[in-house]
Amino acid sequence: MTVSVNRALCYGSGECAFRLPAVFTATDDGFGAVVPGREDTGDDPEVREVAERCPSQAISL
Ligand code: SF4
């Protein structure tokens, strides 16, 4: 399962990168993003939890 961040919904809280930096990062302009090469981690329970806790529901699995 893949994971992605919808920039149109993300408001740059930084929580995803803070909680799970192995999978999430922040772009230069402050939006959440998936670390390149980690897009296939959507089955990981930790990734699922971070997605559920995103305050803007911007993380899709
Ligand atoms: S937790 Fe959600 S709103 Fe915050 S930076 Fe990550 S994707 Fe964006």
Side-chain angles (χ1 to χ4, degrees):
M1 188 182 293
T2 60
V3 57
S4 62
V5 173
N6 183 341
R7 283 181 58 122
L9 296 176
C10 171
Y11 69 90
S13 73
E15 289 183 38
C16 53
F18 176 77
R19 290 180 188 276
L20 195 55
V23 175
F24 297 98
T25 186
T27 61
D28 289 342
D29 51 1
F31 291 98
V34 177
V35 172
R38 302 306 308 273
E39 295 88 353
D40 64 347
T41 57
D43 289 322
D44 185 328
E46 285 187 298
V47 173
R48 188 176 299 271
E49 183 176 349
V50 170
E52 290 172 354
R53 291 178 178 226
C54 169
S56 63
Q57 305 288 298
I59 301 172
S60 298
L61 301 176

